[in-house]
Amino acid sequence: MKGIISALLCSFDEHGQVNEKGLRDIIRYNLDTVQVDGLYVNGSSGENFLLTTAQKKQIFTIVKDEVQSDVPLIAQIGSLIIEEAIELAKFVTNLGYDAISAVTPFYYKFDFEEIKHYYNTILEHVENKMIIYSIPALTGVNMSLDQFSELFDNKKIIGVKFTAPDFYLLERLRHRFPDHLIYSGFDEMLLPAAVLNIDGAIGSTFNLNGKRAKQILTLAQQGHIMEALAIQKETNDFISAVLDNGLYQTLKELLVTQGVDAGICRQPLKTLTANGKGIVLDIANKYL
């Protein structure tokens, strides 16, 4: 499960329901056009925290049906409701997902013992591998090297999606845990993470920009840093334009320009204005 992995977007209709055809279109674009190495399903980019349990199961099922065993699949099952996380972990394991992932529990300022209990409890109920999803900017949960080490004492926890700009901690993780999978989670910081010998990256912009991401990762691994830097600069120009216009809305509309039925975002995420859609066309013409 190494390489460039898309944090999969999901297509929704105007009523907020899963658009199955659109979701399958997004999957095919990732696999056939962008040629990513895997898919991370129902993460932040899939608007997971705006979904019902039934919708999450629907998405997991459609993705597995479309992908089969073509690329590895990682299912993000994390939830503040631990029973839901366990239910989803069992569900995707039975579907044949290659690994599960879970965001650190958030909002209530859980202490580390509570966080460790959360992961271990989920894994007591399922025979699958776990990728920790660490994203302190959104969860407020910052874990130390020793705390990661305690989590990794559970042999079912095989790695981390590291979405943080702390490159000192990232380097220390790589050094202490050479056999664990370490994924970068910030697309705009892929190159400095790649220099630290990560195993891959998981990101939302890879739904469209995955080929550049693959180039950055490969060039960095080969020691061609200045070449990789030029591509990271172009990538960051693309990312800046997308962020200025609205991340998920713009990524979906960019897919639409490529003939993909990417739908719209679920409320309360807003929809693009006519001006916003015009900006998308400019971005597409420049970068796609």
Side-chain angles (χ1 to χ4, degrees):
M1 295 190 295
K2 297 184 178 183
I4 296 300
I5 298 173
S6 279
L8 189 68
L9 297 165
C10 185
S11 179
F12 300 101
D13 65 23
E14 63 274 17
H15 304 295
Q17 300 303 307
V18 176
N19 174 4
E20 180 172 343
K21 176 189 176 299
L23 176 54
R24 290 182 185 273
D25 280 358
I26 294 172
I27 295 165
R28 294 261 51 95
Y29 188 82
N30 269 279
L31 299 189
D32 301 336
T33 301
V34 184
Q35 298 181 334
V36 295
D37 300 305
L39 297 176
Y40 187 87
V41 186
N42 275 340
S44 306
S45 304
E47 299 165 60
N48 171 79
F49 305 107
L50 303 176
L51 302 177
T52 67
T53 304
Q55 287 172 321
K56 294 174 187 179
K57 288 183 176 180
Q58 182 185 6
I59 293 166
F60 284 135
T61 301
I62 293 169
V63 174
K64 180 60 180 178
D65 180 68
E66 185 66 36
V67 175
Q68 298 296 320
S69 300
D70 291 346
V71 297
L73 295 175
I74 303 172
Q76 199 293 123
I77 52 84
S79 171
L80 280 179
I81 305 169
I82 197 166
E83 291 85 359
E84 182 191 40
I86 293 167
E87 180 181 347
L88 291 173
K90 291 178 178 178
F91 184 79
V92 297
T93 299
N94 289 336
L95 283 176
Y97 273 67
D98 299 276
I100 57 175
S101 181
V103 68
T104 48
F106 53 92
Y107 187 82
Y108 288 103
K109 299 186 184 300
F110 300 98
D111 66 28
F112 177 70
E113 289 304 313
E114 291 168 326
I115 292 169
K116 184 168 68 171
H117 174 75
Y118 163 85
Y119 284 112
N120 290 339
T121 300
I122 293 170
L123 290 169
E124 284 174 6
H125 290 83
V126 65
E127 288 302 318
N128 208 333
K129 303 179 288 290
M130 168 72 79
I131 306 291
I132 294 167
Y133 180 12
S134 177
I135 182 166
L138 295 183
T139 62
V141 177
N142 285 282
M143 291 187 292
S144 68
L145 182 64
D146 287 339
Q147 288 172 335
F148 274 110
S149 182
E150 282 193 52
L151 293 178
F152 288 166
D153 283 341
N154 187 323
K155 300 306 179 185
K156 291 181 180 179
I157 298 179
I158 63 168
V160 57
K161 179 187 176 190
F162 188 88
T163 309
D166 187 343
F167 292 104
Y168 173 69
L169 177 57
L170 179 61
E171 187 278 331
R172 293 289 81 189
L173 280 168
R174 177 76 293 167
H175 175 73
R176 186 180 291 190
F177 305 105
D179 298 325
H180 281 70
L181 291 169
I182 298 179
Y183 302 102
S184 169
F186 274 139
D187 308 7
E188 63 272 31
M189 302 180 194
L190 175 55
L191 177 56
V195 170
L196 297 176
N197 197 28
I198 56 173
D199 295 290
I202 300 171
S204 57
T205 65
F206 301 159
N207 285 268
L208 288 138
N209 197 56
K211 287 185 177 180
R212 288 191 187 95
K214 277 191 169 187
Q215 291 176 317
I216 293 166
L217 185 61
T218 300
L219 286 167
Q221 290 169 339
Q222 295 172 345
H224 302 304
I225 303 304
M226 295 310 296
E227 293 176 51
L229 180 59
I231 301 171
Q232 185 71 69
K233 186 267 181 190
E234 185 178 13
T235 287
N236 287 359
D237 289 344
F238 168 73
I239 291 173
S240 293
V242 169
L243 290 174
D244 287 345
N245 200 48
L247 176 57
Y248 302 128
Q249 299 92 333
T250 300
L251 291 176
K252 288 186 177 185
E253 193 65 24
L254 283 168
L255 284 169
V256 170
T257 70
Q258 305 305 298
V260 177
D261 183 12
I264 60 176
C265 294
R266 281 179 57 83
Q267 295 182 25
L269 292 171
K270 62 186 178 184
T271 57
L272 288 177
T273 63
N275 182 63
K277 289 184 178 182
I279 292 172
V280 167
L281 291 176
D282 292 339
I283 296 171
N285 289 332
K286 188 171 184 178
Y287 295 104
L288 299 183

